[in-house]
Amino acid sequence: MSKGEETRARLVGAARELVEAKGYHGTGLNEVLAVAGAPRGSLYHHFPGGKDQLIGEALTTAGQEVDALLAELTASAVTVGRLVHALLEALAERMVAADYAKGCPVATVALEVAGSGGSLRELCGDIYAGWQQVLADALEKAGHESAEDLAATVLALIEGALLLARAARSRVPIERTGRRIDVLLGS
């Protein structure tokens, strides 16, 4: 990786860490530069579209990491119930490791930009749609009827559990949600 590519990757990584914990509006470019250890000029060089481009790339990276996790879990899970539990547990472990400062890597920004018509709202929607489709495919393969609706419900339960767990600084909402998902899936 060239020096320029390293700097760019550090900027995206710093933005990702900060925006997941603090949101779009709570993350300043000066803070991103400080965390990345990069000069101001590199920000404008690598991200001529400014903050939205940088945050968009951070969200894309985060979405791809969950995509990879879902692919791995889909390949190794014996049942769709185990797939969902493994996903919920992986996201919960990230949250606990970050002392509840992080949950879903997309949710904080998605909530902030939900009322806008901008590209970040569309990107968040696309990321969620991709995850939902993976779940729907797994549910359909397992023989569940209305797999699309069920996938939307499961994803909403996971997202809600992470939000409630962050707010309560407790794994209890995740554990309760996992039990209800079992009932929903007939596991």
Side-chain angles (χ1 to χ4, degrees):
M1 188 181 296
S2 73
K3 184 177 178 182
E5 291 170 330
E6 280 182 25
T7 300
R8 188 175 206 291
R10 283 197 328 270
L11 287 165
V12 170
R16 178 174 171 211
E17 289 297 314
L18 291 167
V19 79
E20 184 177 345
K22 296 179 169 196
Y24 179 86
H25 298 295
T27 300
L29 293 179
N30 287 335
E31 189 176 17
V32 171
L33 289 167
V35 170
R40 180 168 291 283
S42 64
L43 180 67
Y44 300 109
H45 171 73
H46 292 292
F47 303 98
K51 185 176 180 179
D52 281 4
Q53 182 185 3
L54 174 61
I55 299 304
E57 292 199 28
L59 291 171
T60 298
T61 300
Q64 289 169 342
E65 286 180 15
V66 176
D67 290 344
L69 174 63
L70 277 167
E72 177 185 321
L73 295 174
T74 300
S76 65
V78 178
T79 66
V80 71
R82 287 190 183 168
L83 162 67
V84 171
H85 273 280
L87 174 62
L88 187 57
E89 184 59 28
L91 292 170
E93 286 177 8
R94 288 178 75 253
M95 181 182 57
V96 171
D99 195 28
Y100 296 91
K102 300 176 184 178
C104 168
V106 176
T108 305
V109 174
L111 290 170
E112 286 184 298
V113 301
S116 76
S119 61
L120 290 177
R121 184 200 51 78
E122 291 175 18
L123 176 60
C124 291
D126 290 346
I127 292 169
Y128 280 131
W131 298 345
Q132 185 174 318
Q133 189 59 55
V134 171
L135 292 172
D137 291 345
L139 288 161
E140 186 174 20
K141 184 178 177 184
H144 287 276
E145 292 182 23
S146 304
E148 293 284 332
D149 291 347
L150 189 53
T153 301
V154 168
L155 185 56
L157 287 168
I158 290 170
E159 289 294 321
L162 292 170
L163 178 62
L164 293 174
R166 278 184 79 183
R169 297 182 62 76
S170 168
R171 286 183 58 104
V172 171
I174 292 166
E175 293 161 3
R176 288 178 175 160
T177 299
R179 289 192 296 269
R180 297 316 302 166
I181 288 172
D182 284 344
V183 172
L184 186 64
L185 298 180
S187 301

